[in-house]
Amino acid sequence: MKQTLIAALLCALGGVAHAAGTLKVCAADNEMPYANERGEGFEDRIAEKLAAAMDMKLERVGFSDPRYVVRDLLDKGKCDVMLGVDAGDPRVATTRAYYRSSYVFVTRADFGQEVTGWDSPALQTAHIGVIPGTPAEVMLVQLGRYADSFRYMMSLGGNKAPRNRYVRYDSEKLIRDLAAGEIDVAVAWAPSVARYIKSAATPLKVTQVPAQATKSNGEPVHFHFDTAIAVRKDDRALLARIEAALARSRDDIEGVLRAEGIQILPPNPVAEGNKDSKG
């Protein structure tokens, strides 16, 4: 009996040790190029680098609807870490940014007109494609180009209305349509399109969107953002361990981002208080 009890105790202790050594990452099942259930996204690779730097086993906790990840997975302890979060997201505790990037204007290399800012004359007549719900959509309204771009924007979500459901917008289609000549200018969050620009058969030109534009009422519209890793608000011990691991694995993580084709910008020292979202 004594041996049985000891064996049970050792088994239980072993289970605790295993759980303590597992990094449970909330990961999208179908949000390429970020992540998918086959682990093909660049955030999947960053999660592997992070777990290795923490000497922990990586466990993927998948989700299909990103709207409820914090409420239904992170806050309930089903997973412990989220990658790709806006630095300073008030729902969670975030690390320092592990990268900063921007929105980009993308045209075919032979387009023949320069697009360097929202006041570029080409944007008055070009067929523009943007992802709905992003700062670029805000600027289409400011330019008076929203109505004539609406049908194309909806096509990126399979013409599904977002009312009471999650609609995934296809950034790969955005670049594919640009290369094929169906639109003239694409405006997108650079990490969401970098791999598709890199692999496009048609030469494309990429120009960084200026960091800030202004709406007609004077409100700023931001286009450069810091991306961080998040944990539950009260999990400060794990946050500290991740911060230390990020410092150790920074070169590896930046290597993943550069291999993806993402241009990394210098971190913004005031980003922790910036509540804007990249969309």
Coordinates of all heavy atoms in Angstrom, one line a residue, residues 137-214:
E137 N -9.5 52.1 -44.0 CA -10.9 52.3 -44.3 C -11.3 53.7 -43.8 O -12.1 54.4 -44.5 CB -11.8 51.2 -43.7 CG -13.2 51.4 -44.0 CD -14.1 50.4 -43.3 OE1 -13.8 50.0 -42.1 OE2 -15.2 50.0 -43.8
V138 N -10.8 54.1 -42.7 CA -11.2 55.5 -42.2 C -10.7 56.5 -43.2 O -11.5 57.5 -43.5 CB -10.5 55.7 -40.8 CG1 -10.7 57.2 -40.4 CG2 -11.0 54.8 -39.8
M139 N -9.6 56.3 -43.8 CA -9.0 57.3 -44.7 C -9.8 57.3 -46.0 O -9.9 58.3 -46.7 CB -7.5 57.1 -44.9 CG -6.7 57.4 -43.7 SD -7.1 59.0 -42.9 CE -6.6 60.2 -44.2
L140 N -10.3 56.1 -46.4 CA -11.2 56.1 -47.6 C -12.4 57.0 -47.4 O -12.8 57.7 -48.4 CB -11.7 54.7 -47.9 CG -10.7 53.7 -48.6 CD1 -11.5 52.4 -49.0 CD2 -10.1 54.3 -49.8
V141 N -12.9 57.0 -46.3 CA -14.1 57.9 -46.0 C -13.6 59.4 -46.1 O -14.3 60.2 -46.7 CB -14.6 57.7 -44.6 CG1 -15.7 58.7 -44.2 CG2 -15.2 56.2 -44.5
Q142 N -12.4 59.7 -45.5 CA -11.9 61.0 -45.6 C -11.6 61.5 -47.0 O -11.8 62.7 -47.4 CB -10.6 61.2 -44.8 CG -10.8 60.8 -43.3 CD -11.8 61.7 -42.6 OE1 -11.6 63.0 -42.7 NE2 -12.8 61.1 -42.0
L143 N -11.2 60.5 -47.9 CA -10.9 60.9 -49.3 C -12.2 60.9 -50.1 O -12.1 61.3 -51.3 CB -10.0 59.8 -49.9 CG -8.6 59.8 -49.3 CD1 -7.8 58.6 -49.9 CD2 -7.8 61.1 -49.6
G144 N -13.3 60.5 -49.6 CA -14.6 60.4 -50.4 C -14.5 59.2 -51.3 O -15.3 59.2 -52.3
R145 N -13.7 58.2 -51.0 CA -13.6 57.0 -51.9 C -14.3 55.8 -51.3 O -14.1 54.7 -51.8 CB -12.1 56.8 -52.1 CG -11.4 57.9 -52.8 CD -11.9 58.2 -54.2 NE -12.2 57.1 -55.1 CZ -11.3 56.4 -55.8 NH1 -10.1 56.8 -55.8 NH2 -11.6 55.3 -56.5
Y146 N -15.0 55.9 -50.2 CA -15.5 54.7 -49.5 C -16.6 54.0 -50.3 O -16.5 52.8 -50.5 CB -16.1 55.1 -48.1 CG -16.7 54.0 -47.3 CD1 -15.8 53.2 -46.6 CD2 -18.0 53.7 -47.4 CE1 -16.3 52.1 -45.9 CE2 -18.5 52.6 -46.7 CZ -17.7 51.8 -45.9 OH -18.2 50.8 -45.2
A147 N -17.5 54.8 -50.8 CA -18.6 54.2 -51.6 C -18.2 53.4 -52.8 O -18.7 52.3 -53.0 CB -19.6 55.3 -52.0
D148 N -17.2 54.0 -53.5 CA -16.8 53.3 -54.7 C -15.8 52.2 -54.5 O -15.4 51.4 -55.4 CB -16.3 54.2 -55.8 CG -15.2 55.1 -55.4 OD1 -14.5 54.8 -54.4 OD2 -15.0 56.1 -56.1
S149 N -15.4 52.0 -53.2 CA -14.5 50.9 -52.8 C -15.3 49.8 -52.0 O -14.7 48.7 -51.7 CB -13.3 51.4 -52.0 OG -12.6 52.3 -52.8
F150 N -16.5 50.1 -51.7 CA -17.3 49.3 -50.7 C -17.4 47.8 -51.3 O -17.2 46.8 -50.6 CB -18.6 49.9 -50.5 CG -19.5 49.0 -49.5 CD1 -19.2 49.1 -48.2 CD2 -20.5 48.2 -50.0 CE1 -20.0 48.3 -47.3 CE2 -21.2 47.5 -49.2 CZ -21.0 47.5 -47.8
R151 N -17.8 47.7 -52.5 CA -18.1 46.4 -53.1 C -16.8 45.5 -53.0 O -16.9 44.3 -52.7 CB -18.6 46.5 -54.5 CG -18.9 45.1 -55.1 CD -19.6 45.3 -56.5 NE -20.9 45.9 -56.3 CZ -21.8 46.1 -57.3 NH1 -21.4 45.8 -58.6 NH2 -22.9 46.6 -57.1
Y152 N -15.7 46.1 -53.4 CA -14.5 45.3 -53.3 C -14.1 44.9 -51.9 O -13.7 43.8 -51.7 CB -13.3 46.1 -54.0 CG -12.0 45.3 -53.9 CD1 -11.9 44.2 -54.8 CD2 -11.1 45.5 -52.9 CE1 -10.8 43.4 -54.7 CE2 -10.0 44.7 -52.8 CZ -9.8 43.6 -53.7 OH -8.7 42.8 -53.6
M153 N -14.3 45.9 -51.0 CA -13.9 45.5 -49.6 C -14.7 44.3 -49.1 O -14.2 43.4 -48.4 CB -14.2 46.8 -48.7 CG -13.2 47.9 -48.8 SD -13.3 49.1 -47.4 CE -14.9 49.8 -47.9
M154 N -16.0 44.3 -49.4 CA -16.9 43.2 -49.0 C -16.4 41.9 -49.6 O -16.6 40.8 -49.0 CB -18.3 43.5 -49.4 CG -18.9 44.7 -48.6 SD -18.9 44.4 -46.8 CE -17.5 45.4 -46.3
S155 N -15.9 42.0 -50.8 CA -15.5 40.7 -51.5 C -14.3 40.1 -50.8 O -14.1 38.8 -50.8 CB -15.0 41.0 -53.0 OG -13.8 41.6 -53.0
L156 N -13.5 40.9 -50.0 CA -12.4 40.3 -49.2 C -12.9 39.4 -48.1 O -12.1 38.6 -47.5 CB -11.5 41.4 -48.7 CG -10.8 42.2 -49.8 CD1 -10.1 43.4 -49.1 CD2 -9.8 41.4 -50.6
G157 N -14.1 39.6 -47.7 CA -14.7 38.8 -46.6 C -15.8 37.8 -47.2 O -16.6 37.3 -46.5
G158 N -15.7 37.5 -48.5 CA -16.6 36.6 -49.1 C -18.0 37.1 -49.2 O -19.0 36.4 -49.2
N159 N -18.1 38.5 -49.2 CA -19.4 39.2 -49.2 C -20.4 38.8 -48.1 O -21.6 38.8 -48.2 CB -20.1 38.9 -50.6 CG -19.4 39.5 -51.7 OD1 -19.0 40.7 -51.7 ND2 -19.0 38.6 -52.7
K160 N -19.7 38.5 -46.9 CA -20.5 38.2 -45.7 C -20.7 39.4 -44.9 O -19.7 40.2 -44.7 CB -19.8 37.1 -44.9 CG -19.6 35.8 -45.6 CD -18.8 34.8 -44.7 CE -18.6 33.5 -45.5 NZ -17.7 32.6 -44.7
A161 N -21.9 39.7 -44.4 CA -22.1 40.8 -43.5 C -21.5 40.5 -42.1 O -21.8 39.3 -41.6 CB -23.6 41.1 -43.4
P162 N -20.8 41.4 -41.4 CA -20.2 41.1 -40.1 C -21.2 41.1 -39.0 O -20.8 40.9 -37.8 CB -19.1 42.2 -40.0 CG -19.7 43.3 -40.8 CD -20.4 42.7 -42.0
R163 N -22.4 41.4 -39.2 CA -23.4 41.5 -38.1 C -23.5 40.2 -37.3 O -23.8 39.1 -37.8 CB -24.8 41.9 -38.6 CG -25.8 42.0 -37.6 CD -27.2 42.4 -38.2 NE -27.1 43.7 -38.8 CZ -28.1 44.2 -39.6 NH1 -29.2 43.5 -39.7 NH2 -27.9 45.4 -40.2
N164 N -23.2 40.3 -36.0 CA -23.3 39.1 -35.1 C -22.5 37.9 -35.4 O -22.8 36.8 -35.0 CB -24.8 38.7 -34.9 CG -25.6 39.8 -34.3 OD1 -25.1 40.6 -33.5 ND2 -26.8 39.9 -34.7
R165 N -21.4 38.1 -36.2 CA -20.6 37.0 -36.5 C -19.2 37.5 -36.9 O -19.0 38.7 -37.4 CB -21.1 36.1 -37.6 CG -21.2 36.8 -39.0 CD -21.7 35.8 -40.0 NE -22.1 36.5 -41.3 CZ -22.5 35.9 -42.4 NH1 -22.7 34.6 -42.3 NH2 -22.8 36.6 -43.4
Y166 N -18.2 36.6 -36.8 CA -16.9 37.0 -37.2 C -16.7 36.8 -38.7 O -17.0 35.7 -39.2 CB -15.8 36.2 -36.4 CG -14.4 36.4 -36.9 CD1 -13.8 37.6 -36.8 CD2 -13.7 35.3 -37.5 CE1 -12.5 37.8 -37.3 CE2 -12.5 35.5 -37.9 CZ -11.8 36.7 -37.8 OH -10.6 36.9 -38.3
V167 N -16.1 37.8 -39.4 CA -15.8 37.6 -40.8 C -14.3 37.8 -40.9 O -13.7 38.8 -40.5 CB -16.5 38.7 -41.6 CG1 -16.1 38.6 -43.1 CG2 -18.0 38.5 -41.6
R168 N -13.7 36.8 -41.5 CA -12.2 36.9 -41.8 C -12.0 37.5 -43.2 O -12.6 37.0 -44.2 CB -11.6 35.5 -41.8 CG -10.1 35.5 -42.1 CD -9.6 34.0 -42.1 NE -8.2 34.1 -42.5 CZ -7.8 34.1 -43.7 NH1 -8.6 34.1 -44.7 NH2 -6.5 34.2 -44.0
Y169 N -11.2 38.5 -43.2 CA -10.9 39.2 -44.5 C -9.6 38.7 -45.1 O -8.6 38.5 -44.3 CB -10.9 40.7 -44.3 CG -12.2 41.3 -43.9 CD1 -12.5 41.6 -42.6 CD2 -13.2 41.4 -44.9 CE1 -13.8 42.1 -42.3 CE2 -14.5 41.8 -44.6 CZ -14.8 42.2 -43.3 OH -16.0 42.6 -42.9
D170 N -9.6 38.4 -46.3 CA -8.5 37.7 -47.0 C -7.4 38.6 -47.5 O -7.6 39.2 -48.6 CB -9.1 36.8 -48.1 CG -8.1 35.9 -48.7 OD1 -6.9 36.0 -48.5 OD2 -8.6 35.0 -49.5
S171 N -6.3 38.8 -46.8 CA -5.3 39.7 -47.2 C -4.5 39.1 -48.4 O -3.9 39.8 -49.2 CB -4.3 40.0 -46.1 OG -3.8 38.8 -45.5
E172 N -4.5 37.8 -48.5 CA -3.8 37.1 -49.7 C -4.5 37.5 -51.0 O -3.9 37.8 -52.0 CB -3.7 35.6 -49.5 CG -3.0 34.9 -50.6 CD -2.9 33.4 -50.5 OE1 -3.6 32.9 -49.6 OE2 -2.1 32.8 -51.2
K173 N -5.9 37.5 -50.9 CA -6.7 37.9 -52.1 C -6.4 39.4 -52.5 O -6.3 39.7 -53.6 CB -8.2 37.7 -51.8 CG -9.1 38.3 -52.8 CD -10.6 38.0 -52.5 CE -11.5 38.8 -53.3 NZ -11.3 38.8 -54.8
L174 N -6.2 40.2 -51.4 CA -5.9 41.6 -51.7 C -4.7 41.8 -52.6 O -4.7 42.5 -53.6 CB -5.7 42.4 -50.4 CG -5.4 43.8 -50.4 CD1 -6.7 44.6 -50.8 CD2 -4.9 44.3 -49.1
I175 N -3.6 41.1 -52.2 CA -2.4 41.2 -53.0 C -2.5 40.4 -54.4 O -2.0 40.9 -55.4 CB -1.2 40.6 -52.2 CG1 -1.0 41.5 -50.9 CG2 0.1 40.6 -53.0 CD1 -0.9 43.0 -51.2
R176 N -3.2 39.3 -54.4 CA -3.4 38.6 -55.6 C -4.2 39.4 -56.6 O -3.9 39.5 -57.8 CB -4.2 37.3 -55.3 CG -4.3 36.3 -56.5 CD -4.8 35.0 -56.0 NE -6.2 35.0 -55.5 CZ -6.5 34.7 -54.2 NH1 -5.6 34.3 -53.4 NH2 -7.8 34.8 -53.8
D177 N -5.2 40.1 -56.1 CA -6.0 41.0 -57.0 C -5.2 42.2 -57.5 O -5.4 42.6 -58.7 CB -7.3 41.5 -56.3 CG -8.3 40.4 -56.0 OD1 -8.2 39.3 -56.6 OD2 -9.2 40.6 -55.2
L178 N -4.4 42.7 -56.6 CA -3.5 43.8 -57.1 C -2.6 43.4 -58.2 O -2.4 44.0 -59.2 CB -2.7 44.3 -55.9 CG -1.6 45.4 -56.2 CD1 -2.3 46.7 -56.5 CD2 -0.7 45.6 -55.0
A179 N -1.9 42.2 -58.0 CA -1.0 41.7 -59.0 C -1.7 41.4 -60.3 O -1.2 41.6 -61.4 CB -0.3 40.4 -58.5
A180 N -3.0 41.0 -60.2 CA -3.8 40.7 -61.4 C -4.4 41.9 -62.1 O -5.0 41.8 -63.2 CB -4.9 39.7 -61.1
G181 N -4.3 43.1 -61.5 CA -4.8 44.3 -62.1 C -6.2 44.6 -61.8 O -6.8 45.5 -62.4
E182 N -6.8 43.9 -60.8 CA -8.2 44.1 -60.5 C -8.3 45.4 -59.6 O -9.4 46.0 -59.5 CB -8.8 42.9 -59.7 CG -8.9 41.7 -60.7 CD -9.7 40.6 -60.0 OE1 -10.5 40.8 -59.2 OE2 -9.4 39.4 -60.3
I183 N -7.3 45.7 -58.9 CA -7.2 47.0 -58.1 C -5.9 47.6 -58.5 O -4.9 46.9 -59.0 CB -7.4 46.8 -56.6 CG1 -6.3 45.9 -56.1 CG2 -8.8 46.4 -56.3 CD1 -6.3 45.7 -54.6
D184 N -5.7 48.9 -58.2 CA -4.5 49.6 -58.5 C -3.6 49.8 -57.3 O -2.4 49.9 -57.4 CB -4.8 51.0 -59.1 CG -5.6 50.9 -60.3 OD1 -5.3 50.1 -61.2 OD2 -6.6 51.7 -60.4
V185 N -4.2 50.0 -56.1 CA -3.5 50.3 -54.9 C -4.1 49.5 -53.8 O -5.3 49.5 -53.6 CB -3.6 51.8 -54.5 CG1 -2.8 52.1 -53.2 CG2 -3.1 52.7 -55.6
A186 N -3.2 48.8 -53.0 CA -3.7 48.1 -51.8 C -3.1 48.8 -50.6 O -1.9 49.2 -50.7 CB -3.2 46.6 -51.9
V187 N -3.8 48.9 -49.6 CA -3.3 49.5 -48.3 C -3.6 48.5 -47.2 O -4.7 48.1 -47.0 CB -4.0 50.9 -48.0 CG1 -3.2 51.6 -46.9 CG2 -4.1 51.7 -49.2
A188 N -2.5 48.1 -46.6 CA -2.7 47.0 -45.6 C -1.6 47.1 -44.5 O -0.6 47.7 -44.7 CB -2.6 45.6 -46.3
W189 N -1.9 46.4 -43.4 CA -0.9 46.2 -42.3 C 0.2 45.4 -42.9 O -0.1 44.2 -43.3 CB -1.6 45.6 -41.1 CG -0.8 45.2 -39.9 CD1 -0.7 43.9 -39.4 CD2 0.1 46.0 -39.1 NE1 0.1 43.9 -38.3 CE2 0.6 45.1 -38.1 CE3 0.4 47.3 -39.1 CZ2 1.5 45.6 -37.2 CZ3 1.3 47.8 -38.2 CH2 1.8 46.9 -37.2
A190 N 1.4 45.9 -42.9 CA 2.5 45.2 -43.6 C 2.7 43.8 -43.2 O 2.8 42.9 -44.1 CB 3.8 46.0 -43.3
P191 N 2.6 43.4 -41.9 CA 2.8 42.0 -41.6 C 1.8 41.0 -42.2 O 2.0 39.9 -42.4 CB 2.8 41.9 -40.0 CG 3.3 43.3 -39.7 CD 2.7 44.2 -40.7
S192 N 0.6 41.6 -42.4 CA -0.5 40.8 -42.9 C -0.4 40.4 -44.4 O -1.0 39.5 -44.9 CB -1.9 41.4 -42.7 OG -2.1 42.5 -43.6
V193 N 0.5 41.2 -45.1 CA 0.6 41.0 -46.6 C 2.1 40.7 -47.0 O 2.3 40.4 -48.2 CB 0.1 42.2 -47.4 CG1 -1.4 42.3 -47.2 CG2 0.8 43.5 -46.9
A194 N 3.0 40.7 -46.1 CA 4.4 40.6 -46.5 C 4.8 39.4 -47.2 O 5.4 39.4 -48.3 CB 5.3 40.7 -45.2
R195 N 4.3 38.2 -46.8 CA 4.6 37.0 -47.5 C 4.0 36.9 -48.9 O 4.6 36.3 -49.8 CB 4.3 35.7 -46.7 CG 2.8 35.3 -46.6 CD 2.7 34.0 -46.0 NE 3.3 33.8 -44.7 CZ 3.3 32.7 -44.0 NH1 2.8 31.6 -44.5 NH2 4.0 32.6 -42.8
Y196 N 2.8 37.5 -49.0 CA 2.2 37.5 -50.3 C 2.8 38.4 -51.3 O 2.9 38.2 -52.5 CB 0.7 37.8 -50.2 CG 0.0 36.9 -49.1 CD1 -0.7 37.5 -48.0 CD2 0.2 35.5 -49.1 CE1 -1.2 36.7 -47.0 CE2 -0.3 34.7 -48.1 CZ -1.0 35.3 -47.1 OH -1.6 34.5 -46.1
I197 N 3.3 39.6 -50.8 CA 4.1 40.5 -51.7 C 5.4 39.8 -52.1 O 5.8 39.8 -53.3 CB 4.4 41.8 -50.9 CG1 3.1 42.6 -50.6 CG2 5.4 42.6 -51.7 CD1 3.3 43.7 -49.7
K198 N 6.0 39.1 -51.2 CA 7.3 38.5 -51.4 C 7.1 37.4 -52.5 O 8.0 37.1 -53.3 CB 7.8 37.9 -50.1 CG 9.2 37.3 -50.1 CD 9.5 36.8 -48.7 CE 10.9 36.1 -48.7 NZ 11.1 35.6 -47.3
S199 N 6.0 36.7 -52.5 CA 5.8 35.6 -53.4 C 5.1 35.9 -54.7 O 4.8 35.0 -55.5 CB 5.1 34.4 -52.7 OG 3.8 34.8 -52.3
A200 N 4.6 37.2 -54.8 CA 3.9 37.6 -56.0 C 4.7 37.4 -57.3 O 5.9 37.8 -57.3 CB 3.4 39.0 -55.9
A201 N 4.0 36.9 -58.3 CA 4.7 36.7 -59.6 C 4.9 38.0 -60.3 O 5.9 38.2 -61.1 CB 3.9 35.8 -60.5
T202 N 4.0 39.0 -60.0 CA 4.1 40.4 -60.6 C 5.0 41.2 -59.7 O 4.7 41.3 -58.5 CB 2.7 41.0 -60.8 OG1 2.0 40.1 -61.7 CG2 2.8 42.4 -61.4
P203 N 6.0 42.0 -60.2 CA 6.7 42.9 -59.3 C 5.9 43.9 -58.7 O 5.1 44.6 -59.4 CB 7.8 43.5 -60.3 CG 7.9 42.5 -61.4 CD 6.5 41.9 -61.6
L204 N 6.0 44.1 -57.4 CA 5.2 45.1 -56.7 C 6.1 46.1 -56.0 O 7.2 45.8 -55.6 CB 4.3 44.3 -55.6 CG 3.4 43.3 -56.2 CD1 2.7 42.5 -55.0 CD2 2.3 43.8 -57.1
K205 N 5.5 47.3 -55.8 CA 6.2 48.3 -55.1 C 5.6 48.6 -53.7 O 4.3 48.8 -53.7 CB 6.2 49.6 -56.0 CG 7.0 50.8 -55.3 CD 7.0 52.0 -56.3 CE 7.8 53.1 -55.6 NZ 7.8 54.3 -56.5
V206 N 6.4 48.7 -52.7 CA 5.9 48.9 -51.3 C 6.4 50.2 -50.8 O 7.6 50.5 -50.8 CB 6.3 47.7 -50.4 CG1 5.8 47.9 -49.0 CG2 5.8 46.4 -51.0
T207 N 5.4 51.0 -50.3 CA 5.8 52.3 -49.6 C 5.1 52.4 -48.3 O 3.9 52.1 -48.1 CB 5.3 53.5 -50.5 OG1 5.9 53.3 -51.8 CG2 5.8 54.8 -49.9
Q208 N 5.9 52.7 -47.3 CA 5.4 52.8 -45.9 C 4.4 54.0 -45.8 O 4.7 55.1 -46.3 CB 6.6 53.1 -45.0 CG 6.3 53.0 -43.5 CD 7.6 53.3 -42.7 OE1 7.7 54.3 -42.2 NE2 8.5 52.3 -42.7
V209 N 3.3 53.7 -45.2 CA 2.3 54.8 -45.0 C 2.8 55.7 -43.9 O 3.3 55.2 -42.9 CB 0.9 54.2 -44.6 CG1 -0.1 55.3 -44.2 CG2 0.3 53.3 -45.7
P210 N 2.8 57.0 -44.0 CA 3.2 57.9 -42.9 C 2.6 57.5 -41.6 O 1.4 57.1 -41.6 CB 2.8 59.3 -43.4 CG 2.8 59.2 -44.9 CD 2.3 57.8 -45.2
A211 N 3.3 57.8 -40.5 CA 2.8 57.3 -39.2 C 1.5 57.8 -38.8 O 0.7 57.2 -38.1 CB 3.9 57.7 -38.2
Q212 N 1.1 59.0 -39.2 CA -0.2 59.6 -38.8 C -0.8 60.4 -39.9 O -0.2 61.1 -40.6 CB 0.1 60.4 -37.5 CG -1.2 61.0 -36.9 CD -0.9 61.7 -35.6 OE1 -0.2 61.2 -34.7 NE2 -1.4 63.0 -35.4
A213 N -2.2 60.3 -40.0 CA -3.0 61.2 -40.8 C -4.0 61.9 -39.9 O -4.1 61.6 -38.7 CB -3.7 60.4 -41.9
T214 N -4.7 62.8 -40.4 CA -5.7 63.5 -39.6 C -7.1 63.5 -40.3 O -7.2 63.8 -41.5 CB -5.2 65.0 -39.4 OG1 -3.9 65.0 -38.9 CG2 -6.2 65.7 -38.5

